[in-house]
Amino acid sequence: MGMYSEKVMDHFRHPRNVGEIPDADGIGKVGNPVCGDLMWIYIKVKDGRLEDVKFKTFGCGAAIATSSMITEIARGKTIDEALKISRQDVADSLDGLPPIKMHCSNLASDGLKAAILDYMKKNNIKPPDWVKIESETEEKCDT
Ligand code: FES
């Protein structure tokens, strides 16, 4: 695991905000079709902001570290701010990811987007057109 930054290793070993939110306002489930890794993100929304964000991930170290990191970045943000969190933002906050692991961070940003879209759907809020889910691609996923 020498290719990982200390921050990645820290979030991998001590992931933040692991678990479910039983009365979540939105739930996102995304999978990487190549490696089969899966992630769920749960959000609680209050006054238009993400009051709580939790995750469950069955995946590689980078998938766990990026989901842990995105829960910390997203908490307290408005819906629009949270929708704009990109995989690059997540990687930057972790002091970088090796290029072959960048696709793993798609799971985190897409999981969060999926949870927010779920929340919007349940509340009849129209999502902005620029929102795209990126993980359903053919990108190779080496564990
Ligand atoms: Fe599958 Fe990282 S998400 S190897």
Side-chain angles (χ1 to χ4, degrees), residues 66-83:
T66 50
S67 10
S68 168
M69 182 45 96
I70 208 166
T71 61
E72 294 215 312
I73 303 175
R75 185 175 295 220
K77 289 230 183 336
T78 65
I79 296 292
D80 263 21
E81 287 165 349
L83 277 173

Side-chain angles (χ1 to χ4, degrees), residues 114-133:
I116 295 173
L117 292 178
D118 181 46
Y119 161 79
M120 290 180 133
K121 199 172 158 196
K122 285 175 176 151
N123 290 278
N124 293 314
I125 306 169
K126 196 181 162 324
D129 322 316
W130 46 264
V131 181
K132 271 199 204 78
I133 302 279

Side-chain angles (χ1 to χ4, degrees), residues 18-44:
V18 178
E20 295 177 27
I21 301 176
D23 57 343
D25 296 316
I27 301 176
K29 180 189 172 200
V30 288
N32 185 313
V34 183
C35 64
D37 288 351
L38 277 178
M39 176 184 303
W40 287 261
I41 295 220
Y42 304 82
I43 57 168
K44 196 78 197 147

Side-chain angles (χ1 to χ4, degrees), residues 35 37 60 63 101 104 107 141-143:
C35 64
D37 288 351
C60 71
K101 286 288 171 187
C104 307
L107 278 187
C141 187
D142 304 301
T143 31

Side-chain angles (χ1 to χ4, degrees), residues 5-12 65 69 92-95:
S5 73
E6 269 174 40
K7 273 200 190 162
V8 173
M9 289 311 294
D10 179 39
H11 277 266
F12 171 57
M69 182 45 96
D92 291 349
S93 308
L94 287 166
D95 294 336

